[in-house]
Amino acid sequence: MNFELTEEHLMIQKAARDFANNELLPGVIERDENATYPAEQMKKMADLGFLGMMVDPKYNGGGMDTISYVIAMEEISKIDSSCSVAMSVNNSLVCWGLERYGTEEQKQKYLTKLATGEYLGAFCLSEPEAGSDATQQRTTAIESGDHYILNGTKNWITNGGAADIFLVIAQTHPEKRHKGINVFIVDCNWPGVTVAAKERKMGIRASYTNSILFNDVKVPRENRIGEDGFGFSFAMKTLSGGRIGIASQALGIASGAYELSLAYSKERTAFGKPISKHQAIAFKLADMATEIEAARMLVYHAAWLKDEGQNFDLASSMAKLFASEVAMKTTVEAVQVHGGYGYTKEYHVERLMRDAKITQIYEGTSEIQRIVISRAILSD
């Protein structure tokens, strides 16, 4: 693996950083406080190609590698995690899964619009009684002639209230357990699809998180992705790539908190000198910098493996686990470095701390990542 970023990578980094500072930073505190969806900012992200970065250009995507995506995710997450999580879901879960496993007709009909941001996608896996244990799907898709009848409830759906297209995991053959699960492309405007109220959350408050209800929704057979029974495998394979996106988000949150703390520590004085000159603060900054760099290497390694066509399941779980733990630890310390000011909204770090927590939970909790990792290392 070459640790030196290419000229293209550096250009993407600058573009994402400039966009985050110029377009996302203004109003980010107010959007968080009022839980206001960043519709205008998402439109600008789409116009810049951030919603279909890795999609093949023949489907209107950017054709970029995963490293480029990780770099952009980090820069945007430093400023606004609500925007970056919407970006992550559309890129990592919806576009990637559809491009990798969809038919040519499905790609032409849906992927071409998802890649440009004309459509926004959501990934519907979690249910009220099936979170970490994704095998226990209660949502059903029963075959009926040339279509399926979809019934059930999905919850904690990122982009739920803004999405045009849902990828829905549902049980078709209960007797086959996880081997009877399928995945379907569902239009939000179809009869029987209902988006419930937006969840009131501790962090990523400006992003949509909703429950989605399906009541006798007719789904054409051609909207099933993959062979009959492929749904669970689709979900697991797609989530493995999605963990790289969330690891990148966690890395960005940690980096953003560190950069704010570093700058503040050089400006704030105590006992006649900048607090950065006091060992208690200097050591905190040293630990932050070291752990962030270690997280970055894990994230980059997982992205590199994915780009090389190698198995990245273990690497993505390690990256997601470690980066999310670093994000939580770094943001807590960032509040401490800022002292009383860190407990107020104007200095951003309290928001970053609240945003960090979800990275330990969604797309596989830290506990689930440890299960994945331990099974992999003990498989021999």
Side-chain angles (χ1 to χ4, degrees):
M1 178 180 176
N2 185 350
F3 288 90
E4 184 177 0
L5 296 180
T6 66
E7 183 176 344
E8 181 181 1
H9 290 148
L10 293 173
M11 289 174 60
I12 292 167
Q13 185 178 57
K14 184 180 186 304
R17 182 177 297 160
D18 289 347
F19 173 77
N21 283 299
N22 296 331
E23 301 291 344
L24 300 183
L25 184 57
V28 66
I29 292 175
E30 290 75 16
R31 292 194 299 273
D32 171 79
E33 189 168 1
N34 299 320
T36 303
Y37 180 72
E40 180 182 346
Q41 290 75 17
M42 289 296 298
K43 175 65 168 60
K44 291 178 179 178
M45 286 177 68
D47 291 343
L48 288 171
F50 286 126
L51 297 185
M53 293 185 68
M54 297 175 288
V55 175
D56 193 304
K58 70 181 180 181
Y59 301 119
N60 299 332
M64 301 178 194
D65 60 9
T66 313
I67 296 289
S68 298
Y69 166 61
V70 163
I71 289 168
M73 274 291 297
E74 179 181 355
E75 294 301 324
I76 290 170
S77 301
K78 288 179 183 180
I79 304 298
D80 192 338
S81 301
S82 292
C83 283
S84 70
V85 70
M87 171 181 167
S88 177
V89 168
N90 204 70
N91 275 283
S92 296
L93 300 183
V94 180
C95 284
W96 186 84
L98 190 51
E99 182 172 18
R100 182 74 171 80
Y101 298 108
T103 64
E104 184 62 26
E105 291 75 17
Q106 290 169 347
K107 294 174 190 178
Q108 291 294 342
K109 186 174 182 179
Y110 297 109
L111 182 60
T112 53
K113 294 181 174 65
L114 288 161
T116 62
E118 180 180 346
Y119 286 172
L120 186 67
F123 187 79
C124 300
L125 174 64
S126 294
E127 297 184 1
E129 297 182 27
S132 294
D133 185 0
T135 64
Q136 301 301 310
Q137 295 293 303
R138 301 292 180 88
T139 297
T140 59
I142 304 304
E143 293 181 83
S144 179
D146 61 353
H147 59 271
Y148 291 80
I149 301 297
L150 184 66
N151 282 284
T153 299
K154 297 294 182 176
N155 66 343
W156 314 121
I157 304 305
T158 301
N159 292 347
D164 304 281
I165 299 298
F166 301 117
L167 297 189
V168 183
I169 313 298
Q171 180 62 262
T172 299
H173 309 288
E175 71 281 2
K176 296 182 180 179
R177 298 172 62 89
H178 71 281
K179 294 183 179 180
I181 294 172
N182 281 305
V183 56
F184 302 92
I185 305 167
V186 177
D187 190 305
C188 73
N189 294 313
W190 285 350
V193 178
T194 302
V195 178
K198 184 179 180 180
E199 300 287 354
R200 299 173 62 192
K201 299 170 293 184
M202 178 173 72
I204 57 169
R205 286 172 48 78
S207 69
Y208 270 112
T209 305
N210 305 75
S211 291
I212 313 296
L213 286 62
F214 304 100
N215 183 24
D216 288 338
V217 180
K218 292 181 66 174
V219 183
R221 184 175 291 273
E222 61 265 26
N223 276 42
R224 188 188 74 198
I225 298 176
E227 297 297 321
D228 189 23
F230 180 64
F232 183 76
S233 293
F234 174 92
M236 295 303 101
K237 292 175 185 294
T238 304
L239 282 174
S240 186
R243 285 165 185 158
I244 297 176
I246 299 306
S248 306
Q249 182 188 47
L251 175 61
I253 293 170
S255 297
Y258 164 72
E259 290 176 6
L260 288 169
S261 299
L262 183 64
Y264 179 81
S265 72
K266 293 177 179 179
E267 298 168 357
R268 175 69 170 175
T269 60
F271 306 103
K273 58 184 177 181
I275 62 173
S276 61
K277 300 296 183 182
H278 295 284
Q279 189 179 81
I281 301 301
F283 278 16
K284 288 182 186 296
L285 294 169
D287 287 343
M288 288 182 191
T290 302
E291 291 172 1
I292 288 169
E293 190 61 22
R296 184 174 289 112
M297 291 300 99
L298 281 172
V299 175
Y300 280 21
H301 180 236
W304 177 80
L305 286 173
K306 185 170 180 285
D307 287 336
E308 291 294 307
Q310 300 185 42
N311 188 302
F312 57 90
D313 294 347
L314 176 60
S316 66
S317 283
M318 287 181 168
K320 200 269 187 184
L321 171 63
F322 188 74
S324 64
E325 302 286 320
V326 168
M328 196 70 243
K329 180 179 177 181
T330 299
T331 53
V332 169
E333 289 287 57
V335 171
Q336 193 71 17
V337 169
H338 282 74
Y341 291 108
Y343 207 64
T344 65
K345 294 186 180 298
E346 294 91 320
Y347 283 74
H348 295 282
V349 288
E350 67 85 28
R351 174 175 54 83
L352 291 172
M353 183 177 73
R354 288 186 285 107
D355 288 349
K357 185 58 193 174
I358 192 60
T359 66
Q360 297 178 307
I361 298 172
Y362 57 15
E363 294 198 31
T365 64
S366 291
E367 290 74 21
I368 289 295
Q369 303 314 316
R370 289 185 170 93
I371 290 174
V372 172
I373 294 165
S374 62
R375 285 177 176 172
I377 63 178
L378 295 171
S379 60
D380 291 341

